[in-house]
Amino acid sequence: MSNISYPFTSESVSEGHPDKVADQISDAILDAYLERDPESKVACECLITSGQLIIAGEVTSNACINVEKIARKVIADIGYTSEELGFDAQKATIHNLLHEQSREINESVADGGAGDQGLVFGYATDESPELLPLPILISHRLVEAQAKLRKDGSIPWLRPDAKSQVTVRYVDGVPTAVEKVVLSTQHDPGIDQQEIRQTVIEKIIQPVLDQYFPDSTPEFLVNPSGSFIVGGPHGDTGLTGRKIIVDTYGGSCPHGGGAFSGKDPTKVDRSGAYAARYVAKHVVAAGLAKRCTVQISYAIGVVEPTSLLIDTHKTGIVWDRLIESKVFALFDLTPQGIIRKLGLKQPIYSQTATYGHFGKNELPWEQLDPDIIEALKLLKQARRKSTFNNRLLAVSPEINLRLKTAIGSGTIQCWHEEKGPLFFEPSTRAWKALDGPTPEKPFDFNADELATVESALLDYHEKRRAYFKKAQASVNEQLRHTLPSKNTPA
């Protein structure tokens, strides 16, 4: 083991955070439209500040809903019910600026094409039962606990706005301890900061940490800036879609930049990201990798994805490109295919607007398909540990080269005990240096020695190609008999 140690930090925010208030209103409006008309096309954005809420966006639907009533109920359910708290759900002024979706965008999705161009990412890791990174998972659990204890009256002086931040120590990619926890919570006036610290640690932080790292002794930072009475939309303006890292993986993988809340599933920013998570979760659950990042890209009006990338971060037991080919066979990643498979025309989105869009078992993109898992497990027969990787090439008593080849690469890395590495490209019979100019005489071999080495390398290359061709053919044949049809309606 290399014992590479590093900290990684993620954050989350409570349902009373102003950006999350905006997300919840946007998704509640979306759900109301889908409940009455599953074919509704919605892009709803909110801006909320002191005593004011602006709702804007585009809608095409046969449904008629009371947007203002829905918004007031969401705000009241969160807990902003009086001016003393900085926002009164019943007295606030609401501006409804929703209008009809543009005809061009509506036509672009009519034949099943994506509603916009974009790239999305999905991620899964085996470090938690939810297959989510622990820093973001624990961060969510902390603010979730804060909201529960506030609402059930266990800590009566808590107010809705709160933020958490968790630093986890990793050793060789494995989480080993929680090192720091930050929790800032809004509270009533007149509460002593020492009481807030003691209560938050004992009733919120420690019970959550005990579920994951009971022996950890992290540093606690509770309301590090001191008093936190003014919060919510009165303290900061909230916007829909401004917590995209909180919504996803806490920074553990890249993000395509598109927000989720308020968007119907023809918007691939949302549905594509759910599909990418669905794929990544199946890859890890099938035991093909410990970690998996999936990238999918789309073009507006185009049915098929424009690209797919699988990255198992060197934890995969088979070649990533082989996993990609099977993902294309097993998963329908067209916008309509995703919508059908995951049932995305249902009014299910309000529950995603707080504490992350992933890791909640009741959501369809979190549920594993046993047939897909079994089909993916067949790929284990093409394990990357083959007789053609990292072997010794002995072409004569004087010439010994250690060969290292990346699965799927046509380049052979040749290590000489005294002279280090060079790269050989069989298709062009060209030699390349790791850095610097290409040597005129590789490893100082004379012409006869070089001809002998290159002949052996070409023979090695052909045998290796034949091996993997046979292995992939065997896997393909078994998949052909076990594969569920990706076009079967859900």
Side-chain angles (χ1 to χ4, degrees), residues 28 100-102 114 144 152 203 211 270 295 326 341 344 353 356 374 408 417 443 459 469 480 482:
E100 190 174 4
Q101 185 182 55
S102 95
E144 205 170 7
D152 68 17
K203 294 189 175 182
Q211 300 174 41
R270 185 170 212 164
Q295 186 202 51
K326 300 317 162 195
K341 177 65 177 178
L344 297 185
E374 290 305 310
E417 185 176 352
F443 300 123
D459 180 63
K469 185 176 181 180
R480 189 172 65 84
T482 61

Side-chain angles (χ1 to χ4, degrees), residues 22-46 55-65 67 70 96-102 105-106 109 115-116 240 259-271 339 344-347 349:
D23 283 346
Q24 290 168 86
I25 296 168
S26 293
D27 273 335
I29 291 169
L30 170 63
D31 278 351
Y33 274 112
L34 292 176
E35 185 176 11
R36 293 159 180 80
D37 177 10
E39 301 301 323
S40 295
K41 304 298 184 290
V42 180
C44 178
E45 318 282 344
C46 295
I55 304 170
E58 301 78 44
V59 176
T60 298
S61 177
N62 292 321
C64 183
I65 67 170
V67 170
I70 291 168
N96 180 4
L97 305 180
L98 291 172
H99 57 89
E100 190 174 4
Q101 185 182 55
S102 95
I105 295 177
N106 199 44
V109 301
D116 199 353
T240 299
F260 299 158
S261 289
K263 295 178 179 178
D264 76 84
T266 64
K267 279 72 172 175
V268 289
D269 279 344
R270 185 170 212 164
S271 56
I339 290 169
L344 297 185
K345 291 183 180 180
Q346 303 174 73
Y349 297 101

Side-chain angles (χ1 to χ4, degrees), residues 120-154:
V120 296
F121 289 88
Y123 183 74
T125 171
D126 68 356
E127 64 191 66
S128 72
E130 295 86 352
L131 302 185
L132 279 179
L134 279 173
I136 187 65
L137 186 61
I138 297 174
S139 295
H140 286 326
R141 295 294 177 263
L142 289 171
V143 284
E144 205 170 7
Q146 187 269 359
K148 179 180 181 299
L149 296 174
R150 171 178 63 86
K151 287 186 169 182
D152 68 17
S154 297

Side-chain angles (χ1 to χ4, degrees), residues 374-392:
E374 290 305 310
L376 285 172
K377 284 181 177 179
L378 290 175
L379 294 179
K380 292 180 180 181
Q381 297 182 36
R383 297 179 70 90
R384 71 169 67 236
K385 292 180 179 178
S386 78
T387 58
F388 294 109
N389 192 32
N390 194 19
R391 60 168 289 182
L392 183 68

